[in-house]
Amino acid sequence: MTSLWQQPWFWPVLAVVVGLPVLLIVLTEIASTLQRRGNPGARVVRLLRTYVVPTAAVSILVAQVTIAVDSEDFTWTRVAATAFGFLVIVAVLNAVNLALFTNAEKGSWRDRLPSIFVDIGRIVLIAIGLAVLFSTVWGTDVAGLFTALGVTSIVLGLALQGAIGSVVSGLLLFEQPFRLGDWLDAGGMRGRVVQVNWRAVHIDTGNGIQITPNASLAGSSFTNLSRGDGSYTVTAPVAFTTDDPPAEVVALLQRVAGSLPELWPGTTPVAVPLGGAAYEVSYEVRGPAHEGSSLATLRSWLWYASRRAGLGLDGDTTDAFVTPERIEQAVASVAPTLQVTADDVPALVPSVHLERYAAGEVVLPLGVVPEALRFVLSGAVALGVPTPGDAVLPVSRVERGDFVGQTVLTRQPTTTRAVAVSEVAVLVVPGDTLDALVRVRPRLARELGEVIDRRGAAAREVAEASGEAGGTRGQLAS
């Protein structure tokens, strides 16, 4: 009688019974360690632990049944081996993808390799794996199969020349002249690349998705607006009147464009007259995606800034907002703060004027000596302390009936920035007019001094709490 350990199935079964739990425990620990480290290899290890290793164990056990029943044609043995082979192919594909592409260095050939090549490589590996699997397990004649596939490919290629042309053109884009998210300008069509597949490139133009065949892009020139030094030049034509001094118009355009939030750091806008009433302003933004928003902000801010400067944007010099009646009403509304009577209002009207600011515009910049006291008639103004990192620490909010620019009385520069929260209308009281009022109203000077001290203390408290006081300490007032 043959001993148990001398049976042909004993050692394979023992290896499965003992080795399978040990191997599963080891793979579980490896997967957990890789997952904690954020390593993408954890996915491949989990695949081996959950599917490949258990299937291999089942294949070994089923193979022993084949030996026991003495039948080489036992179907379940081949089924188990086939399932194991499929899982090995999947594991190999995942391992190759992890080794070559998942951890590819930015800018390397692996990072620049188009996805279409990856797909083709994956198909080739699958075809080879399946050929080996069916030839080994089922004894299939794969040579005839590949011959049939070759003939079929030729027939399909002749029938689908147009469609395959786009696929081949996609292969020609190996150097990856663009990526998802890049902005392209191709034949007057401008938009952002949102999808790239075997046949076509999908471009979001803002008015829909433009589907451009790969053959069209490969056979013509186009501009990748996202490539370069990181900035993108925006050029905007504008028009004023021929009576507006060109120097004032150019200065206004550069000042407004220079305060845009989308402006690329360290760049300066350029404005030039084109002759007659035409001008052009160019500036750098953070990318093509910011072109539309920056142009919208520029046009909005120019409308308000040109009316404050008395310039005729688009040939329009009228401003229905600034009327003698509205100015008189505004002076009457702030008369108690300025400590003037109703009889003094008509005499004060000629020396003041009205201004409006768009939301986001700087009403009073940082580090300047205010030339006037500005009373908020509508809207709100936010006071903040700028930091070296371009952030702004909020200090307070100035609303209707309050004012900004009180250091015009002491001729001190501002160390906070006043920005319009919404559209803001202000009454501008020039410094000379305020000086004349203070000379005969000492109490007005004391009240303005108290506002200067109170706002200065609030600004210092905010700056010190954020560790940004530095050299501004003792000067924060506006």
Side-chain angles (χ1 to χ4, degrees):
M1 180 177 180
T2 305
S3 302
L4 180 63
W5 58 84
Q6 292 179 337
Q7 296 291 334
W9 52 265
F10 177 78
W11 292 109
V13 171
L14 181 63
V16 171
V17 172
V18 176
L20 179 61
V22 174
L23 190 56
L24 291 179
I25 293 174
V26 172
L27 291 176
T28 300
E29 292 299 322
I30 295 175
S32 299
T33 302
L34 293 177
Q35 187 171 5
R36 286 195 301 269
R37 296 178 179 178
N39 193 316
R43 183 177 62 182
V44 179
V45 177
R46 285 197 300 267
L47 177 63
L48 293 174
R49 179 202 61 189
T50 308
Y51 299 104
V52 177
V53 172
T55 306
V58 171
S59 299
I60 294 174
L61 295 178
V62 173
Q64 306 315 307
V65 176
T66 302
I67 298 176
V69 300
D70 193 21
S71 174
E72 295 181 357
D73 296 327
F74 191 65
T75 304
W76 284 109
T77 303
R78 296 184 177 185
V79 171
T82 304
F84 173 69
F86 275 121
L87 291 173
V88 169
I89 293 174
V90 173
V92 170
L93 290 176
N94 279 272
V96 170
N97 183 68
L98 173 65
L100 293 181
F101 305 109
T102 302
N103 297 321
E105 296 181 0
K106 187 174 181 60
S108 65
W109 69 269
R110 294 180 298 167
D111 179 60
R112 294 184 293 103
L113 189 68
S115 60
I116 188 172
F117 283 101
V118 179
D119 294 337
I120 291 176
R122 186 179 292 115
I123 291 174
V124 171
L125 288 178
I126 292 175
I128 294 174
L130 291 178
V132 172
L133 176 63
F134 283 102
S135 176
T136 303
V137 177
W138 297 93
T140 305
D141 182 10
V142 296
L145 176 62
F146 278 111
T147 302
L149 289 176
V151 174
T152 304
S153 299
I154 294 175
V155 174
L156 291 177
L158 293 175
L160 302 174
Q161 294 183 55
I164 295 177
S166 293
V167 175
V168 174
S169 299
L171 292 174
L172 297 178
L173 300 177
F174 174 74
E175 70 278 10
Q176 269 195 325
F178 55 84
R179 299 181 181 181
L180 290 178
D182 284 357
W183 286 72
L184 301 184
D185 188 347
M189 176 198 64
R190 176 178 294 187
R192 182 172 60 88
V193 178
V194 295
Q195 182 180 347
V196 180
N197 55 37
W198 290 59
R199 193 187 68 84
V201 176
H202 296 220
I203 301 176
D204 185 359
T205 63
N207 294 319
I209 302 297
Q210 176 76 29
I211 300 176
T212 304
N214 292 330
S216 298
L217 288 178
S220 62
S221 61
F222 57 88
T223 302
N224 189 334
L225 303 175
S226 299
R227 297 288 175 91
D229 59 359
S231 63
Y232 174 73
T233 302
V234 179
T235 301
V238 291
F240 285 80
T241 68
T242 54
D243 294 331
D244 294 326
E248 294 185 19
V249 174
V250 168
L252 175 71
L253 292 173
Q254 292 178 339
R255 183 173 66 253
V256 174
S259 59
L260 292 174
E262 299 89 352
L263 189 69
W264 185 261
T267 61
T268 302
V270 176
V272 294
L274 301 179
Y279 295 81
E280 187 177 82
V281 57
S282 301
Y283 55 91
E284 305 287 328
V285 296
R286 300 177 183 272
H290 296 278
E291 178 182 16
S293 60
S294 68
L295 283 174
T297 303
L298 177 69
R299 295 188 182 102
S300 174
W301 288 7
L302 274 179
W303 189 91
Y304 289 91
S306 63
R307 275 153 178 75
R308 293 196 302 269
L311 302 175
L313 179 65
D314 295 328
D316 184 9
T317 58
T318 61
D319 189 353
F321 177 76
V322 180
T323 62
E325 294 78 14
R326 188 173 277 113
I327 294 177
E328 186 171 352
Q329 293 174 1
V331 173
S333 66
V334 302
T337 304
L338 293 176
Q339 299 178 14
V340 297
T341 63
D343 296 334
D344 298 325
V345 169
L348 194 58
V349 167
S351 61
V352 300
H353 62 275
L354 297 176
E355 289 181 347
R356 281 185 294 178
Y357 294 84
E361 267 198 286
V362 177
V363 178
L364 200 58
L366 173 69
V368 300
V369 176
E371 84 289 354
L373 188 69
R374 286 176 167 82
F375 285 89
V376 177
L377 302 176
S378 63
V381 175
L383 299 181
V385 180
T387 67
D390 292 334
V392 177
L393 305 176
V395 175
S396 61
R397 188 183 177 101
V398 178
E399 299 187 348
R400 181 177 181 179
D402 207 345
F403 50 82
V404 294
Q406 62 277 357
T407 55
V408 63
L409 185 65
T410 57
R411 302 301 190 268
Q412 292 176 314
T414 60
T415 48
T416 58
R417 185 168 58 189
V419 179
V421 177
S422 58
E423 184 186 63
V424 173
V426 299
L427 175 68
V428 181
V429 180
D432 294 342
T433 302
L434 184 64
D435 290 340
L437 292 173
V438 168
R439 279 195 293 270
V440 296
R441 295 170 178 82
R443 190 160 63 92
L444 176 59
R446 289 195 301 271
E447 292 179 355
L448 290 176
E450 292 174 358
V451 174
I452 293 174
D453 294 339
R454 185 171 63 253
R455 289 185 179 174
R460 285 193 297 273
E461 181 180 351
V462 170
E464 291 171 355
S466 302
E468 300 289 347
T472 65
R473 188 174 301 170
Q475 296 182 4
L476 298 172
S478 180

Coordinates of all heavy atoms in Angstrom, one line a residue, residues 32-88:
S32 N -1.2 46.7 2.4 CA -1.5 47.7 3.4 C -0.4 48.7 3.5 O -0.6 50.0 3.6 CB -1.8 47.1 4.7 OG -2.9 46.2 4.6
T33 N 0.9 48.2 3.5 CA 2.0 49.1 3.6 C 2.1 50.1 2.4 O 2.3 51.3 2.5 CB 3.3 48.3 3.6 OG1 3.3 47.5 4.8 CG2 4.5 49.2 3.8
L34 N 1.9 49.6 1.2 CA 1.9 50.4 0.0 C 0.8 51.4 0.0 O 0.9 52.6 -0.4 CB 1.8 49.5 -1.3 CG 3.0 48.6 -1.5 CD1 2.8 47.8 -2.8 CD2 4.3 49.5 -1.7
Q35 N -0.4 51.0 0.5 CA -1.5 51.9 0.5 C -1.3 53.1 1.5 O -1.7 54.2 1.2 CB -2.8 51.2 0.9 CG -4.1 52.0 0.8 CD -5.3 51.2 0.9 OE1 -5.3 50.0 1.2 NE2 -6.5 51.8 0.7
R36 N -0.7 52.8 2.6 CA -0.4 53.8 3.6 C 0.6 54.8 3.0 O 0.5 56.0 3.4 CB 0.1 53.2 4.9 CG -0.9 52.5 5.8 CD -0.4 52.3 7.2 NE 0.8 51.4 7.1 CZ 0.8 50.1 7.2 NH1 -0.4 49.5 7.3 NH2 1.9 49.4 7.2
R37 N 1.5 54.4 2.2 CA 2.5 55.2 1.6 C 2.0 55.9 0.3 O 2.7 56.7 -0.3 CB 3.7 54.4 1.2 CG 4.4 53.9 2.5 CD 5.6 53.0 2.1 NE 6.4 52.5 3.2 CZ 7.4 51.7 3.1 NH1 7.9 51.4 1.9 NH2 8.0 51.3 4.2
G38 N 0.7 55.6 -0.1 CA 0.2 56.2 -1.3 C 0.8 55.7 -2.5 O 0.7 56.3 -3.6
N39 N 1.3 54.5 -2.5 CA 2.0 53.9 -3.7 C 0.9 53.2 -4.5 O 0.1 52.4 -4.1 CB 3.0 52.9 -3.2 CG 3.9 52.4 -4.4 OD1 3.5 52.2 -5.5 ND2 5.2 52.4 -4.1
P40 N 0.8 53.5 -5.8 CA -0.2 52.9 -6.7 C 0.0 51.4 -6.9 O -0.8 50.7 -7.4 CB 0.0 53.7 -8.0 CG 1.4 54.3 -8.0 CD 1.6 54.5 -6.6
G41 N 1.2 50.9 -6.5 CA 1.5 49.5 -6.6 C 0.6 48.6 -5.7 O 0.4 47.4 -5.9
A42 N -0.1 49.3 -4.8 CA -1.0 48.6 -3.9 C -2.2 47.9 -4.7 O -2.6 46.8 -4.3 CB -1.6 49.5 -2.8
R43 N -2.5 48.5 -5.8 CA -3.6 48.0 -6.6 C -3.2 46.7 -7.2 O -4.0 45.7 -7.3 CB -4.0 49.0 -7.7 CG -5.2 48.6 -8.5 CD -5.6 49.6 -9.5 NE -4.5 49.9 -10.4 CZ -4.6 50.8 -11.4 NH1 -5.7 51.6 -11.5 NH2 -3.6 51.0 -12.2
V44 N -2.0 46.6 -7.7 CA -1.5 45.4 -8.3 C -1.4 44.3 -7.3 O -1.8 43.1 -7.6 CB -0.2 45.6 -9.0 CG1 0.3 44.3 -9.6 CG2 -0.3 46.7 -10.1
V45 N -0.9 44.6 -6.1 CA -0.8 43.6 -5.1 C -2.1 43.1 -4.6 O -2.3 41.9 -4.4 CB 0.0 44.2 -3.9 CG1 0.1 43.1 -2.7 CG2 1.4 44.6 -4.3
R46 N -3.1 44.0 -4.5 CA -4.5 43.5 -4.1 C -5.1 42.6 -5.2 O -5.8 41.7 -4.9 CB -5.4 44.7 -3.9 CG -5.1 45.5 -2.6 CD -6.3 46.4 -2.3 NE -6.5 47.4 -3.3 CZ -5.9 48.6 -3.3 NH1 -5.1 48.9 -2.3 NH2 -6.2 49.4 -4.3
L47 N -4.8 42.9 -6.5 CA -5.2 42.0 -7.6 C -4.6 40.6 -7.4 O -5.3 39.6 -7.6 CB -4.9 42.6 -8.9 CG -5.2 41.8 -10.2 CD1 -6.7 41.7 -10.3 CD2 -4.6 42.5 -11.4
L48 N -3.3 40.6 -7.1 CA -2.7 39.3 -6.9 C -3.3 38.5 -5.7 O -3.6 37.3 -5.8 CB -1.2 39.4 -6.7 CG -0.4 40.0 -7.9 CD1 1.0 40.2 -7.5 CD2 -0.4 39.0 -9.1
R49 N -3.5 39.3 -4.6 CA -4.0 38.6 -3.4 C -5.5 38.1 -3.6 O -5.8 37.0 -3.1 CB -3.9 39.6 -2.3 CG -4.5 39.1 -0.9 CD -4.8 40.3 0.0 NE -5.9 41.1 -0.6 CZ -6.3 42.2 -0.1 NH1 -5.7 42.7 0.9 NH2 -7.3 42.9 -0.7
T50 N -6.3 39.0 -4.2 CA -7.7 38.7 -4.2 C -8.1 37.7 -5.3 O -9.0 36.9 -5.1 CB -8.5 40.0 -4.4 OG1 -8.1 40.9 -3.4 CG2 -10.0 39.8 -4.3
Y51 N -7.4 37.7 -6.5 CA -7.9 36.9 -7.6 C -6.8 35.9 -8.1 O -7.1 34.7 -8.3 CB -8.3 37.9 -8.8 CG -9.4 38.8 -8.4 CD1 -9.2 40.1 -8.1 CD2 -10.7 38.3 -8.3 CE1 -10.2 41.0 -7.8 CE2 -11.8 39.1 -8.0 CZ -11.5 40.5 -7.7 OH -12.5 41.3 -7.4
V52 N -5.6 36.4 -8.4 CA -4.6 35.6 -9.1 C -4.2 34.4 -8.2 O -4.3 33.2 -8.6 CB -3.4 36.4 -9.5 CG1 -2.3 35.5 -10.1 CG2 -3.8 37.5 -10.5
V53 N -3.8 34.7 -7.0 CA -3.3 33.6 -6.1 C -4.4 32.6 -5.8 O -4.2 31.4 -5.9 CB -2.7 34.2 -4.8 CG1 -2.3 33.1 -3.8 CG2 -1.4 35.0 -5.1
P54 N -5.6 33.0 -5.4 CA -6.7 32.0 -5.1 C -7.0 31.2 -6.3 O -7.2 30.0 -6.3 CB -7.9 32.8 -4.7 CG -7.2 34.1 -4.1 CD -6.1 34.4 -4.9
T55 N -7.0 31.8 -7.5 CA -7.3 31.1 -8.8 C -6.2 30.1 -9.1 O -6.5 29.0 -9.5 CB -7.5 32.1 -9.9 OG1 -8.5 33.0 -9.6 CG2 -8.0 31.3 -11.2
A56 N -5.0 30.5 -8.8 CA -3.9 29.5 -9.0 C -4.0 28.3 -8.1 O -3.8 27.2 -8.5 CB -2.6 30.2 -8.8
A57 N -4.4 28.6 -6.9 CA -4.6 27.5 -5.9 C -5.8 26.5 -6.4 O -5.6 25.3 -6.3 CB -5.0 28.0 -4.5
V58 N -6.9 27.1 -6.9 CA -8.0 26.3 -7.4 C -7.5 25.5 -8.6 O -7.9 24.3 -8.8 CB -9.2 27.2 -7.8 CG1 -10.2 26.4 -8.5 CG2 -9.7 27.8 -6.5
S59 N -6.7 26.1 -9.5 CA -6.2 25.4 -10.7 C -5.4 24.2 -10.3 O -5.4 23.1 -10.9 CB -5.4 26.3 -11.5 OG -6.2 27.4 -12.0
I60 N -4.5 24.4 -9.2 CA -3.7 23.3 -8.8 C -4.5 22.1 -8.2 O -4.3 20.9 -8.5 CB -2.7 23.8 -7.7 CG1 -1.7 24.7 -8.3 CG2 -1.9 22.6 -7.1 CD1 -0.7 25.4 -7.3
L61 N -5.5 22.5 -7.4 CA -6.4 21.4 -6.8 C -7.2 20.7 -7.9 O -7.3 19.5 -7.8 CB -7.3 22.1 -5.8 CG -6.6 22.7 -4.6 CD1 -7.7 23.3 -3.6 CD2 -5.9 21.6 -3.8
V62 N -7.7 21.5 -8.9 CA -8.5 20.8 -9.9 C -7.6 19.9 -10.8 O -8.0 18.9 -11.2 CB -9.2 21.9 -10.8 CG1 -9.9 21.2 -12.0 CG2 -10.2 22.6 -10.0
A63 N -6.4 20.3 -11.0 CA -5.4 19.5 -11.7 C -5.2 18.2 -11.1 O -5.0 17.1 -11.7 CB -4.1 20.2 -11.9
Q64 N -5.2 18.1 -9.7 CA -5.1 16.9 -9.0 C -6.3 15.9 -9.2 O -6.1 14.7 -9.2 CB -4.8 17.1 -7.5 CG -3.7 18.1 -7.2 CD -2.4 17.8 -8.0 OE1 -2.0 16.6 -8.0 NE2 -1.9 18.8 -8.7
V65 N -7.4 16.5 -9.4 CA -8.6 15.7 -9.8 C -8.4 15.0 -11.1 O -8.8 13.9 -11.3 CB -9.9 16.6 -9.8 CG1 -11.1 15.8 -10.2 CG2 -10.1 17.2 -8.4
T66 N -7.8 15.7 -12.0 CA -7.5 15.1 -13.3 C -6.6 13.9 -13.2 O -6.8 12.9 -13.8 CB -6.8 16.2 -14.2 OG1 -7.6 17.3 -14.4 CG2 -6.5 15.6 -15.6
I67 N -5.6 14.0 -12.3 CA -4.7 12.9 -12.0 C -5.5 11.7 -11.4 O -5.3 10.6 -11.7 CB -3.5 13.3 -11.2 CG1 -2.7 14.4 -11.9 CG2 -2.7 12.1 -10.8 CD1 -1.6 14.9 -11.1
A68 N -6.4 12.1 -10.4 CA -7.1 11.1 -9.7 C -8.1 10.3 -10.6 O -8.2 9.1 -10.4 CB -7.9 11.8 -8.5
V69 N -8.7 11.0 -11.5 CA -9.7 10.3 -12.4 C -9.0 9.8 -13.6 O -9.7 9.1 -14.5 CB -10.9 11.2 -12.8 CG1 -11.6 11.7 -11.6 CG2 -10.4 12.4 -13.6
D70 N -7.7 10.1 -13.8 CA -6.9 9.6 -14.9 C -7.5 10.0 -16.2 O -7.8 9.2 -17.1 CB -6.8 8.1 -14.8 CG -5.7 7.6 -15.8 OD1 -4.8 8.4 -16.2 OD2 -5.7 6.4 -16.1
S71 N -7.9 11.3 -16.3 CA -8.5 11.8 -17.6 C -7.8 13.1 -17.9 O -8.0 14.1 -17.2 CB -10.0 12.0 -17.4 OG -10.5 12.6 -18.6
E72 N -7.1 13.2 -19.1 CA -6.5 14.4 -19.5 C -7.5 15.4 -20.1 O -7.1 16.5 -20.3 CB -5.4 14.1 -20.5 CG -4.3 13.3 -19.9 CD -3.2 13.0 -20.9 OE1 -3.4 13.4 -22.1 OE2 -2.2 12.3 -20.6
D73 N -8.6 14.9 -20.4 CA -9.6 15.8 -21.1 C -10.6 16.3 -20.1 O -11.7 16.8 -20.4 CB -10.4 15.0 -22.2 CG -9.5 14.6 -23.3 OD1 -8.5 15.3 -23.6 OD2 -9.7 13.5 -23.9
F74 N -10.3 16.3 -18.8 CA -11.2 16.8 -17.8 C -11.4 18.3 -18.0 O -10.5 19.1 -17.9 CB -10.6 16.6 -16.4 CG -11.6 16.8 -15.3 CD1 -12.8 16.0 -15.2 CD2 -11.4 17.8 -14.4 CE1 -13.7 16.3 -14.1 CE2 -12.3 18.1 -13.4 CZ -13.5 17.3 -13.2
T75 N -12.7 18.7 -18.4 CA -12.9 20.1 -18.8 C -12.7 21.1 -17.7 O -12.1 22.2 -18.0 CB -14.4 20.2 -19.3 OG1 -14.6 19.2 -20.3 CG2 -14.7 21.6 -19.8
W76 N -13.1 20.8 -16.5 CA -12.9 21.8 -15.4 C -11.4 22.2 -15.2 O -11.1 23.3 -14.7 CB -13.5 21.3 -14.1 CG -15.0 21.4 -14.2 CD1 -15.9 20.4 -14.3 CD2 -15.8 22.6 -14.1 NE1 -17.2 20.8 -14.3 CE2 -17.2 22.2 -14.2 CE3 -15.5 23.9 -14.1 CZ2 -18.2 23.1 -14.2 CZ3 -16.5 24.9 -14.1 CH2 -17.9 24.4 -14.1
T77 N -10.6 21.3 -15.4 CA -9.1 21.6 -15.3 C -8.7 22.7 -16.3 O -8.0 23.7 -15.9 CB -8.3 20.4 -15.6 OG1 -8.7 19.3 -14.7 CG2 -6.8 20.7 -15.4
R78 N -9.2 22.6 -17.5 CA -8.9 23.6 -18.5 C -9.6 24.9 -18.2 O -9.0 26.0 -18.4 CB -9.2 23.1 -19.9 CG -8.4 21.9 -20.3 CD -8.8 21.5 -21.7 NE -8.0 20.3 -22.2 CZ -8.0 19.8 -23.4 NH1 -8.8 20.3 -24.3 NH2 -7.2 18.8 -23.7
V79 N -10.8 24.8 -17.7 CA -11.5 26.1 -17.4 C -10.8 26.8 -16.3 O -10.6 28.0 -16.3 CB -13.0 25.7 -16.9 CG1 -13.6 27.0 -16.3 CG2 -13.8 25.2 -18.1
A80 N -10.3 26.1 -15.2 CA -9.6 26.7 -14.1 C -8.3 27.3 -14.6 O -7.9 28.5 -14.3 CB -9.4 25.7 -13.0
A81 N -7.6 26.6 -15.5 CA -6.3 27.1 -16.0 C -6.6 28.3 -16.9 O -5.8 29.3 -16.9 CB -5.6 26.0 -16.9
T82 N -7.7 28.3 -17.7 CA -8.0 29.5 -18.5 C -8.3 30.7 -17.6 O -7.8 31.8 -17.9 CB -9.2 29.2 -19.4 OG1 -8.9 28.0 -20.2 CG2 -9.5 30.3 -20.3
A83 N -9.1 30.5 -16.6 CA -9.4 31.7 -15.7 C -8.1 32.2 -15.1 O -7.9 33.4 -15.0 CB -10.4 31.2 -14.6
F84 N -7.2 31.3 -14.7 CA -6.0 31.7 -14.1 C -5.1 32.5 -15.1 O -4.5 33.5 -14.8 CB -5.2 30.5 -13.6 CG -3.8 30.8 -13.1 CD1 -3.6 31.6 -12.0 CD2 -2.7 30.4 -13.9 CE1 -2.3 31.9 -11.6 CE2 -1.4 30.7 -13.5 CZ -1.2 31.4 -12.3
G85 N -5.1 32.0 -16.4 CA -4.4 32.7 -17.4 C -4.9 34.1 -17.7 O -4.2 35.0 -17.8
F86 N -6.3 34.2 -17.7 CA -6.9 35.6 -17.9 C -6.4 36.5 -16.8 O -6.1 37.7 -17.0 CB -8.4 35.5 -17.9 CG -9.0 35.1 -19.2 CD1 -9.7 34.0 -19.4 CD2 -8.7 36.0 -20.3 CE1 -10.3 33.7 -20.7 CE2 -9.3 35.7 -21.6 CZ -10.0 34.5 -21.8
L87 N -6.5 36.1 -15.6 CA -6.1 36.9 -14.4 C -4.6 37.3 -14.5 O -4.2 38.4 -14.1 CB -6.4 36.2 -13.1 CG -7.9 36.1 -12.8 CD1 -8.1 35.2 -11.6 CD2 -8.6 37.4 -12.6
V88 N -3.8 36.3 -14.9 CA -2.3 36.6 -15.1 C -2.1 37.7 -16.1 O -1.3 38.7 -15.9 CB -1.5 35.4 -15.5 CG1 -0.1 35.7 -15.9 CG2 -1.5 34.4 -14.3

